[in-house]
Amino acid sequence: QVQLVESGGGLVHPGGSLTLSCAASGGIFSIVAMGWYRQAPGKQRELVANVVGDTNTIYADSVKGRFTASRDNAKDTVYLQMSSLAPEDTAVYYCKAIVVVRGYEYQYWGQGTQVTVSS
């Protein structure tokens, strides 16, 4: 069973920065993609950034130029560096991984970490 453990959320002032991390563990697997989604109160969960393979990254238009996602394959970890944060970035941020275990592809979600942008 693959587990995703997120960390790095918290309260930050508008214009501030925050870095989230998500580490995958548990068993033998290979990672196809790892990324970040977020869900604000009363809204649907949406893609923030997704790293496919080693370097192919896609971003939501709302975060382009402000957020950077990256992977450390040696640590099975994905990061989300967030800058110029705004109140509309407030949400629970979830890590998602698509992995291959014994030839089968599975999707896993982290437990979520709260990011609050407020003065």
Side-chain angles (χ1 to χ4, degrees):
Q1 179 76 8
V2 176
Q3 294 181 328
L4 302 179
V5 178
E6 300 145 342
S7 60
L11 173 65
V12 63
H13 294 308
S17 300
L18 208 58
T19 297
L20 307 180
S21 64
C22 171
S25 63
I28 301 172
F29 56 89
S30 62
I31 297 174
V32 176
M34 285 187 83
W36 295 92
Y37 290 70
R38 66 185 181 186
Q39 187 166 19
K43 294 188 177 181
Q44 289 189 333
R45 191 172 297 188
E46 63 177 5
L47 170 72
V48 176
N50 195 36
V51 184
V52 181
D54 291 338
T55 59
N56 184 20
T57 306
I58 58 172
Y59 294 95
D61 287 343
S62 60
V63 306
K64 283 180 181 176
R66 300 189 299 122
F67 291 10
T68 302
S70 60
R71 272 177 59 180
D72 183 336
N73 292 328
K75 298 180 179 179
D76 290 330
T77 298
V78 65
Y79 303 94
L80 185 67
Q81 296 174 284
M82 304 182 291
S83 61
S84 301
L85 284 161
E88 51 265 35
D89 295 314
T90 295
V92 177
Y93 283 69
Y94 296 91
C95 174
K96 175 184 169 182
I98 298 175
V99 304
V100 173
V101 181
R102 300 188 190 92
Y104 291 91
E105 193 170 282
Y106 298 90
Q107 174 180 286
Y108 293 94
W109 289 91
Q111 79 283 1
T113 185
Q114 177 70 46
V115 172
T116 302
V117 184
S118 175
S119 55

